[in-house]
Amino acid sequence: DVNAHPHLSGDGKLALIHNGIIENYAVLKKELGKRGHEFKSDTDTEVLIHLIEEVKKNEDVSLFEAVRLALNEVIGAYAIVVVDKDK
């Protein structure tokens, strides 16, 4: 159950469903962990939603732009759905 989709951002406002693989998720997870992100699962999906959350907050951009910028850091093949609780 802990690895089941959707996965939520740290603040619980963003949700992500993902099919595919994020090949560099371990590196991203380590870096996000150093910046205070806490993970509840062992999935690459949860790493991606935390990355999107961080970009959205740090860059003060729309969800669309945060996803676009975050995916520039991702290596892999994937299809995603991202939902913002407040929109």
Side-chain angles (χ1 to χ4, degrees):
D1 286 346
V2 74
N3 289 331
H5 293 192
H7 286 281
L8 303 177
S9 57
D11 63 10
K13 293 183 178 184
L14 303 177
L16 175 72
I17 298 171
H18 158 248
N19 185 27
I21 184 165
I22 307 300
E23 295 173 9
N24 62 332
Y25 88 96
V27 172
L28 294 170
K29 185 174 186 175
K30 184 176 180 179
E31 289 302 314
L32 289 166
K34 288 179 184 177
R35 295 194 293 263
H37 290 264
E38 295 181 18
F39 299 94
K40 298 176 183 168
S41 76
D42 298 318
T43 69
D44 53 351
T45 305
E46 186 181 18
V47 172
L48 181 54
I49 195 61
H50 278 262
L51 178 60
I52 293 167
E53 173 189 33
E54 182 168 280
V55 169
K56 187 174 186 310
K57 286 181 181 177
N58 290 347
E59 301 296 326
D60 192 28
V61 294
S62 69
L63 179 57
F64 179 86
E65 185 66 6
V67 170
R68 190 186 72 74
L69 291 170
L71 291 179
N72 285 332
E73 299 183 41
V74 170
I75 299 169
Y78 42 81
I80 64 172
V81 174
V82 184
V83 178
D84 184 334
K85 178 181 171 186
D86 295 334
K87 302 284 180 184

